[in-house]
Amino acid sequence: SFYIEDSGFDTAYTSELEKILSFDFTNNGRTQVLSECEKKKAFTRKEGFSLPFDGAAWKSLGALYVVKARITDKKLSVYGFSVYDNEVSRILDVPLEGELALDRQRIHLLADSIHKSFFNEKGIANTRILYSVQTKTDALDSYKWVAEIWECDYDGANPRQITNEKKYCVSPIYLPPSAEE
């Protein structure tokens, strides 16, 4: 759940940040986000962002892990709670820029940190996807194509072209960072 307290951002932006964190926990291969229900919403409002967590109540709602996030004054703080072993992880006051591409990266890193605290293994939210984009170079000749290598966040956001060979690059491999990055 996201708690918004004088966030410094509009509702649409904070909603987008919440979607990113939710995506990360839905697609990490180990957790899923519980569907919204009135009982869960009411309990979340009652418990609030502060500690302690009510493990028995969360367990009765079907939760094995709980993640609470709060945005206050352009800073994101997160508590992760393992219902099974009653362990709490804290990540406090991560600065947010208000630029979605940058804040998306911070949320992915944060999701991976919480994942590591829950499962003692690295999460996948900060991984990248390499892929090839093909374009036709001559509208009259169906055999003239080029393909360049692109990368994006694992959720498909922030695509950017990596190569500019003007050739047919179709087998992406890891490329070391360029000197300008």
Side-chain angles (χ1 to χ4, degrees):
S1 298
F2 260 51
Y3 298 88
I4 309 299
E5 300 170 2
D6 298 322
S7 70
F9 303 113
D10 65 28
T11 305
Y13 192 76
T14 57
S15 178
E16 191 62 31
L17 297 178
E18 186 171 8
K19 285 180 197 171
I20 294 165
L21 189 61
S22 179
F23 180 93
D24 288 350
F25 283 107
T26 300
N27 293 284
N28 67 15
R30 298 290 299 264
T31 62
Q32 66 183 32
V33 176
L34 293 175
S35 59
E36 288 293 325
C37 70
E38 283 310 311
K39 187 176 177 182
K40 182 180 140 198
K41 283 181 188 177
F43 180 71
T44 301
R45 280 191 300 272
K46 177 183 161 217
E47 187 174 60
F49 182 73
S50 60
L51 297 175
F53 284 83
D54 183 343
W58 282 111
K59 192 173 190 175
S60 74
L61 291 169
L64 299 175
Y65 302 95
V66 179
V67 175
K68 292 183 187 179
R70 177 181 67 192
I71 300 176
T72 304
D73 194 29
K74 296 187 178 183
K75 292 182 195 123
L76 177 63
S77 297
V78 174
Y79 288 124
F81 174 65
S82 172
V83 174
Y84 175 74
D85 59 13
N86 238 12
E87 292 285 322
V88 175
S89 304
R90 301 170 197 194
I91 301 173
L92 303 175
D93 295 336
V94 174
L96 297 172
E97 299 295 323
E99 184 178 325
L100 192 57
L102 295 174
D103 290 343
R104 176 184 296 278
Q105 291 303 313
R106 289 185 175 139
I107 298 231
H108 290 327
L109 285 169
L110 188 136
D112 282 349
S113 294
I114 295 291
H115 186 276
K116 176 102 173 140
S117 75
F118 287 161
F119 305 110
N120 203 29
E121 64 184 39
K122 187 177 177 182
I124 63 168
N126 203 42
T127 58
R128 312 285 292 157
I129 297 171
L130 291 175
Y131 59 98
S132 179
V133 174
Q134 301 172 354
T135 55
K136 203 170 192 180
T137 59
D138 186 342
L140 301 176
D141 188 346
S142 63
Y143 294 103
K144 295 209 177 188
W145 291 79
V146 296
E148 300 293 350
I149 304 300
W150 286 63
E151 76 171 350
C152 67
D153 293 355
Y154 94 114
D155 60 4
N158 297 327
R160 75 178 182 100
Q161 187 173 340
I162 297 178
T163 64
N164 195 16
E165 301 297 314
K166 296 182 179 39
K167 295 182 181 172
Y168 204 70
C169 304
V170 292
S171 298
I173 59 170
Y174 174 76
L175 301 171
S178 65
E180 60 193 50
E181 288 188 88

